[in-house]
Amino acid sequence: DRQALVDTILLGQGRPATHGYPHPDSPWTNPVNVAAFDIARARMLLDEAGLRDRDGDGIREFADGRKLELTLNVAATEPAQIRAAELVARQLRAVGVGITVRSLDPTVITSLFASRNFDLYITEIGPHGAADPDQFVESQRSGYLWKSGLAYPEMDALVRGYAAAPTKESRRAVLFRMQTLFNARPTSLALYYPDERWAFRPGPFNGWVESPGFGIVQKWSFLPPAARQGVMTTDLRK
């Protein structure tokens, strides 16, 4: 329930990640990919996968009796992330997934990511990773969203199609298919996007423009006005 996370952790000052990984405001985000909150469907999918609470203790088991228990790691220096981990664990337990939250030193979290020796962990990424279409593509095969060297022919074919697309619209269509594949096999579950606020003195610089889902700290803000034509941005001075 991403909206519940926004209401509790951000006091409503944010957006739930309802479309998967990319920011819902980005023009490069597939509007059809809606990650709905549905406890009944979650329970049904777990049942269909053969994961059932066979001993009645509230935690599902595999067919061989192993418990569906995972560890969710979070940096001990990030109170908002710790609270998010607690709430996520509570929601997952409601459908029979056992979750243990473990707070660790940030350097340990970094080492876990490098080794991939973890079940789950919470981290954050800047708007560049969530709203820039090229960055989303690069993240698939760079070792960030998919382990380097692990075969993924379906994604590779889409990456090749993205690079070869001759127009912006055809490239967007390939990207939308890539996001659909990613949502079907998610290696990352986006939770929410905090609202951003910016303060600036117009005297030193007044050329800021906002890119939907991205913010103002990006290359378009620093290009000459003529070079911004055709860019999907909002001039903050208006």
Side-chain angles (χ1 to χ4, degrees):
D1 187 353
R2 292 166 170 86
Q3 185 61 56
L5 297 177
V6 169
D7 293 341
T8 301
I9 299 168
L10 304 179
L11 301 181
Q13 303 301 302
R15 297 280 302 281
T18 53
H19 290 71
Y21 188 84
H23 196 288
D25 287 346
S26 172
W28 294 93
T29 296
N30 189 340
V32 177
N33 287 340
V34 178
F37 171 57
D38 189 336
I39 286 183
R41 178 166 171 77
R43 289 172 174 158
M44 180 191 71
L45 291 173
L46 289 166
D47 286 342
E48 291 177 352
L51 293 161
R52 301 176 182 276
D53 180 12
R54 293 171 169 82
D55 59 9
D57 67 348
I59 304 299
R60 295 171 182 267
E61 294 90 27
F62 293 89
D64 62 5
R66 287 181 298 120
K67 295 285 188 181
L68 179 55
E69 294 179 319
L70 305 169
T71 298
L72 175 55
N73 301 292
V74 63
T77 55
E78 299 290 342
Q81 293 182 24
I82 293 173
R83 185 62 177 137
E86 293 170 346
L87 296 177
V88 166
R90 182 184 303 171
Q91 292 188 15
L92 290 176
R93 291 186 191 112
V95 295
V97 182
I99 296 290
T100 298
V101 175
R102 182 173 63 170
S103 60
L104 301 171
D105 184 272
T107 57
V108 177
I109 294 287
T110 301
S111 67
L112 288 178
F113 177 77
S115 67
R116 290 296 202 276
N117 185 25
F118 62 88
D119 296 328
L120 303 165
Y121 84 106
I122 286 186
T123 187
E124 62 183 20
I125 187 173
H128 179 65
D132 183 280
D134 291 339
Q135 184 62 48
F136 177 77
V137 174
E138 289 294 326
S139 294
Q140 303 303 320
R141 305 307 272 137
S142 66
Y144 182 71
L145 291 177
W146 187 268
K147 187 175 181 179
S148 296
L150 188 63
Y152 202 170
E154 300 93 336
M155 184 64 76
D156 289 342
L158 289 171
V159 171
R160 290 193 296 269
Y162 181 83
T167 66
K168 182 170 72 174
E169 289 308 314
S170 61
R171 178 166 286 189
R172 192 197 315 268
V174 176
L175 185 71
F176 282 7
R177 294 199 298 272
M178 190 181 300
Q179 292 170 14
T180 298
L181 175 62
F182 181 83
N183 277 20
R185 304 176 182 176
T187 52
S188 175
L189 297 172
L191 299 178
Y192 51 74
Y193 308 95
D195 287 343
E196 294 187 337
R197 300 288 184 266
W198 307 283
F200 63 92
R201 294 195 300 269
F205 182 72
N206 195 27
W208 302 105
V209 291
E210 183 176 359
S211 180
F214 200 122
I216 65 172
V217 186
Q218 27 76 20
K219 57 189 175 184
W220 308 117
S221 288
F222 303 102
L223 292 175
R228 300 176 190 155
Q229 298 303 315
V231 178
M232 303 184 81
T233 58
T234 301
D235 191 329
L236 294 187
R237 291 170 294 183
K238 297 178 182 179

